[in-house]
Amino acid sequence: MRALCAITQAESVRYKLAEGLPVRRACYGVLKYIMNQGAMGCEVIVTGKLRAQRAKAMKFKDGYMIKSGFAKEVYIDEAVRHLRMKQGVLGIKVRIQLPHDPTGQEGVSINVDFLGE
């Protein structure tokens, strides 16, 4: 699915920011779209010079996100993209935690007991 692909969503944030959309609006829109498509959790991080001379990192999170272990390698889809702006370079990271699906159609078919299943 396109909604659960981190590369596609990172590119989406990149094009929205390149068109001049405010950072919060672009990131929250993508976050809401990903979560509505059935992801367990999502995180979008934008770093760089955002509207000011001093660089910042803005994190936008929703849902449940695992950060360590073998389950991270199986369930987390991650992408990094860069955007060259007039002020400097912006970095965009998107992490999506895929749902468990025994058939493998809508998510990950490998069962890792981090959810207590």
Side-chain angles (χ1 to χ4, degrees):
M1 286 181 65
R2 186 177 80 86
L4 299 181
C5 176
I7 294 171
T8 307
Q9 297 308 321
E11 288 289 337
S12 175
V13 172
R14 183 176 167 205
Y15 285 117
K16 287 179 180 184
L17 294 177
E19 290 173 4
L21 202 65
V23 177
R24 286 192 177 125
R25 183 156 183 203
C27 292
Y28 278 126
V30 167
L31 201 68
K32 185 177 177 184
Y33 177 70
I34 293 169
M35 292 306 290
N36 286 342
Q37 295 299 315
M40 289 185 69
C42 181
E43 181 179 60
V44 179
I45 304 171
V46 180
T47 58
K49 291 185 187 176
L50 309 167
R51 299 268 186 233
Q53 193 64 29
R54 175 72 81 165
K56 281 185 180 179
M58 297 179 81
K59 287 186 176 184
F60 305 91
K61 302 181 201 176
D62 197 8
Y64 180 76
M65 179 75 62
I66 55 174
K67 299 280 186 173
S68 64
F70 175 69
K72 177 189 177 232
E73 295 176 16
V74 175
Y75 279 89
I76 303 295
D77 187 19
E78 187 173 3
V80 177
R81 289 291 179 266
H82 299 92
L83 173 62
R84 206 173 298 270
M85 302 283 279
K86 190 170 63 176
Q87 310 98 303
V89 178
L90 294 182
I92 301 162
K93 287 184 188 175
V94 176
R95 287 190 188 110
I96 301 172
Q97 179 160 336
L98 304 171
H100 176 70
D101 181 24
T103 62
Q105 299 289 329
E106 300 287 322
V108 179
S109 61
I110 299 171
N111 188 14
V112 179
D113 284 335
F114 71 93
L115 294 175
E117 294 176 0

